Amino acid sequence: MGKLDNRVAVVTGAAQGIGKAVADKLEAEGATVVAVDIQSGTTMQVDVSQEQDVKRMVEETVGEHGKLDVLVNVAAIVPFTPWDEVDFTEWRRIMSVNLDGTFLTCYYAQKPMRKAGYGRIVNIASNVILAGTPNLAHYVASKGGVWAFTRALARELGPHGITVNSVAPGLTETEGVLASKHAEAFDFVQMLQAIPRRAVADDIAPAVAFLASEEAGWITGQLLVADGGHTHN
Ligand SMILES: NC(=O)c1ccc[n+]([C@@H]2O[C@H](COP(=O)([O-])OP(=O)(O)OC[C@H]3O[C@@H](n4cnc5c(N)ncnc54)[C@H](O)[C@@H]3O)[C@@H](O)[C@H]2O)c1
């Protein structure tokens, strides 16, 4: 018996990193997982910043599986750019995936959830919204938006049986991070954590699985920080 038996879940950004770990964990807990990503190799190729893609994602999921119980928004771009090098094009690029993408998936996914009177939405934020980490101002703003949107949506969807929460990981070893300058921060960040080791994607997935489960039904509008005790909510 898994905590997600008979549930249908969409996970975005599921080709690698935290998204892949979340998709694997939800499947291990019994869910049927529709793994989507802008990269090929997942169940469905979707660009979360494109409205038609997201609409199709929800329609095909419900068409094939009859319902949509769980949405986990993991897809995002994690940049590394000093603030004075962020031009408006770059600002919009980050916002369109990280924040617009979260709006679009929530907008379309809540329709079948509302009809069913049941739903779980988990949006991945980041502990940088608490720490104000440098070289990430546009990203920090986008993730702050994700968190604030989560809180507002929880109020409006609560009466329909839908919970909306955020998980805020700290610096975590993933393909994306290892290919970026963020990888240089591991030693420093480790010193700031209560648990002094490198986080891996499997450290984050259980927090998501819990919030995606039926038993988390009394928890909504919350930010669950999973960062080894680096920051405090
Ligand atoms: N790894 C970290 O240190 C860390 C820390 C805090 C928060 N996060 C958040 O966790 C999530 C996953 O991070 P990660 O490190 O695994 O990232 P990653 O870069 O390794 O993976 C991100 C995935 O999202 C996909 N993606 C990007 N743009 C997309 C789009 N427009 N449509 C659909 N898919 C798209 C990518 O193809 C990729 O598979 C992100 O939301 C990130 O902001 C990560």
Side-chain angles (χ1 to χ4, degrees):
M1 276 272 292
K3 37 164 144 288
L4 287 160
D5 283 345
N6 304 315
R7 295 297 180 193
V8 175
V10 166
V11 180
T12 73
Q16 65 183 46
I18 291 171
K20 185 168 190 316
V22 167
D24 290 348
K25 174 69 178 165
L26 300 191
E27 206 163 78
E29 292 290 351
T32 299
V33 176
V34 178
V36 312
D37 204 285
I38 197 167
Q39 300 182 51
S40 58
T42 47
T43 321
M44 212 186 283
Q45 206 167 350
V46 168
D47 179 345
V48 296
S49 68
Q50 298 301 313
E51 183 167 9
Q52 287 313 313
D53 276 22
V54 174
K55 193 165 178 281
R56 174 176 56 85
M57 172 186 91
V58 171
E59 282 171 0
E60 285 184 12
T61 299
V62 175
E64 187 157 336
H65 303 290
K67 59 177 185 164
L68 172 50
D69 300 300
V70 175
L71 167 69
V72 186
N73 274 308
V74 189
I77 302 174
V78 187
F80 184 102
T81 324
W83 152 246
D84 53 1
E85 288 172 22
V86 177
D87 59 19
F88 188 59
T89 306
E90 176 63 1
W91 173 273
R92 277 304 314 147
R93 186 175 77 94
I94 301 306
M95 289 297 166
S96 74
V97 175
N98 299 9
L99 191 51
D100 299 359
T102 300
F103 164 76
L104 287 171
T105 54
C106 289
Y107 179 80
Y108 283 102
Q110 56 88 36
K111 291 173 187 246
M113 289 178 180
R114 195 187 281 238
K115 237 184 237 167
Y118 181 91
R120 298 279 181 267
I121 297 175
V122 184
N123 296 321
I124 302 301
S126 169
N127 76 347
V128 298
I129 68 176
L130 305 169
T133 311
N135 299 308
L136 281 166
H138 45 346
Y139 174 83
V140 173
S142 73
K143 290 294 186 174
V146 166
W147 160 230
F149 180 57
T150 296
R151 192 143 191 124
L153 210 56
R155 293 253 177 227
E156 297 211 32
L157 292 179
H160 302 283
I162 303 167
T163 65
V164 193
N165 291 287
S166 277
V167 168
L171 184 64
T172 304
E173 191 177 276
T174 63
E175 288 88 334
V177 163
L178 289 177
S180 76
K181 276 179 80 71
H182 294 295
E184 292 169 15
F186 273 115
D187 290 344
F188 173 66
V189 167
Q190 233 168 273
M191 286 193 306
L192 303 174
Q193 294 169 186
I195 304 166
R197 67 162 172 81
R198 221 178 240 225
V200 293
D202 285 341
D203 289 319
I204 312 303
V208 175
F210 169 62
L211 292 172
S213 72
E214 194 170 342
E215 66 187 0
W218 195 233
I219 301 168
T220 194
Q222 301 303 305
L223 181 70
L224 178 50
V225 180
D227 69 355
H230 173 186
T231 54
H232 297 280
N233 189 359

